[in-house]
Amino acid sequence: MFHLVRRFFGYVLARPLSPSEQQQVQSALSPQLCELFFSQAPQDQRHAIQVLERVSSNDPALAEAALLHDIGKRGLRIGAVERSLATVAGATSMPMPERWRRYLDHGAAGGDLLESAGAGNLAIAFARFHPGPVPEGIDDEVWALLTAADDA
């Protein structure tokens, strides 16, 4: 729960990526995946770069997964307050608007998007199934590292 409060304020206070951070993203992703990354809200870009920094690895597959795990949120135009309300509504099974449902189901949309864009298996799986259990074919330690970095 505390990580959700921290994420709320992180979203509200997020600053755009610096030119060096933008270059870091461009170095880590293919042009097509880079275009997807930059189609995210600046707040989601900031969160993704923070996840990448926490993963602290030179593994290209880990970088791709860290940077693109929330790509299914792109284009939803849901701010911090609505994201919080959607999370509460989802946890309590309250009725909610369709766009909140799409926000809560961003993983499936993101996984499909990454699959069609030619992303690697780890990025597709992490977008689609995080923060759930480790999917078949994915290393437990890698999954735990990504999940911890996302929740920090």
Side-chain angles (χ1 to χ4, degrees):
M1 174 73 155
F2 182 70
H3 83 279
L4 294 175
V5 172
R6 189 171 51 241
R7 183 147 327 148
F8 173 86
F9 285 106
Y11 187 90
V12 170
L13 301 172
R15 65 188 195 291
L17 298 187
S18 69
S20 65
E21 289 169 325
Q22 291 174 22
Q23 180 59 43
Q24 186 179 9
V25 170
Q26 291 168 340
S27 297
L29 300 176
S30 71
Q32 185 174 3
L33 294 177
C34 198
E35 185 177 325
L36 283 177
F37 176 87
F38 287 112
S39 72
Q40 297 180 102
Q43 297 89 340
D44 293 324
Q45 293 176 26
R46 168 62 49 206
H47 169 66
I49 202 85
Q50 290 169 336
V51 172
L52 177 63
E53 290 167 358
R54 290 179 199 124
V55 167
S56 184
S57 171
N58 292 327
D59 182 336
L62 275 169
E64 189 178 83
L67 290 170
L68 297 169
H69 71 281
D70 282 335
I71 196 68
K73 293 178 184 177
R74 77 186 190 114
L76 291 179
R77 295 189 173 149
I78 294 180
V81 172
E82 278 192 284
R83 287 175 180 220
S84 298
L85 292 172
T87 300
V88 170
T92 60
S93 301
M94 292 172 44
M96 67 181 91
E98 179 59 30
R99 70 175 193 240
W100 290 9
R101 258 189 221 90
R102 286 195 317 269
Y103 169 75
L104 294 175
D105 294 336
H106 73 274
D112 291 347
L113 182 61
L114 291 177
E115 192 169 23
S116 68
N121 290 337
L122 180 60
I124 294 166
F126 195 59
R128 186 173 281 145
F129 299 116
H130 82 284
V134 183
E136 188 175 319
I138 303 296
D139 181 86
D140 292 353
E141 290 179 23
V142 168
W143 191 264
L145 178 64
L146 284 165
T147 300
D150 186 35
D151 286 345

